[in-house]
Amino acid sequence: MKKNGIRERIGPYEIISAIFLALVLVVALYPFIYVIAGSFSSGTDYMRGGIYLWPRKFSLDSYRNIFRDERLYYGLLNTTGRTLLGPTLHTFLCSVVAYAMAHEKLKGRKFYYWTNTIPMFFGGGLIPYYLVLKYLGLVDTFWIYILPAGYSVWNMIVLQTYFRELPREIRESAYMDGASEFTVFTRIYIPLCPTMLATIWLYSAVYHWNSFFDGLFFNSNEKLILLQEFLVKLVNEAAVTQYNMAVTWLPESANNVTLDVSIRTVQYAAIVVSMIPVLLIFPYLKKFFVTGVAAGAVKE
């Protein structure tokens, strides 16, 4: 086969690479297929075992159980809210500090740098952290999910490095036209690095969507439960219950309706429901990860 005058052929290397990538694809996709097959299986039939790729007895009872549990809706609402608000505040605070730290005329820049860097490597521990949050009045409030994660030293350093690479003449010309620091930051620097800011926002959004630690330790209000926390509680309930046969499992908020489910199929259904938003949104945003990382790593 010829293309643009250059002869192309498929050799052993191409064949081995294709086989290896196909195996990687199978290994990556199989857990999803297994969970989806289990979620659509009858609880009684699933407990018999042997379901790997396709349910033997198709059933939607596990999904009916999940959608009867009000914790799912609270989790979706709280997780969606923190995923939209948290990364926005995080990106704004990191970019403001990064702009100041990238300014060569900032007084005490070394002091600010070390006061930012040292806490990144050394922490006081969980108990002092909890006491600080309690004294600030953040425990058992929605802001426990937003404010503690509002700033990251690592992301600030990444943005600072990017801001330093921008031509100094742009800022100096803006000063000559009478622009203030806020004007330079919002009208010049921010429009020049949308990809980097979008990358920071997306990394923060992934953290907020997958987070459950703060909900487990710093929140006891069921109405502030997170989606991933809801999944963790389902897993813990299964571990405590130790069912060896199909059971009728219903959340406290559900009606007393007998459904053919097991605790495992209910867990799988909850996992599938939590995956849907990510599977729908991430393919349209993944380009920011690639371009943003490349922009932050390669400089002229």
Side-chain angles (χ1 to χ4, degrees), residues 10-23:
I10 300 177
Y13 175 78
E14 287 76 12
I15 296 176
I16 295 175
S17 298
I19 295 175
F20 175 75
L21 292 176
L23 292 176

Side-chain angles (χ1 to χ4, degrees), residues 45-94:
D45 186 65
Y46 179 83
M47 297 304 291
R48 293 167 50 198
I51 297 178
Y52 303 108
L53 297 175
W54 192 260
R56 282 190 302 261
K57 186 177 179 181
F58 185 84
S59 174
L60 295 175
D61 287 346
S62 296
Y63 288 94
R64 295 189 182 100
N65 249 341
I66 287 297
F67 287 111
R68 283 194 178 99
D69 194 336
E70 64 179 7
R71 295 181 299 175
L72 173 66
Y73 301 100
Y74 285 128
L76 283 172
L77 179 63
N78 295 324
T79 301
T80 302
R82 73 173 294 180
T83 303
L84 294 176
L85 180 59
T88 302
L89 177 64
H90 180 89
T91 305
F92 173 75
L93 294 179
C94 290

Side-chain angles (χ1 to χ4, degrees), residues 127-138:
I127 295 178
Y129 181 60
Y130 174 82
L131 293 176
V132 170
L133 296 177
K134 183 178 180 181
Y135 291 144
L136 292 175
L138 297 178

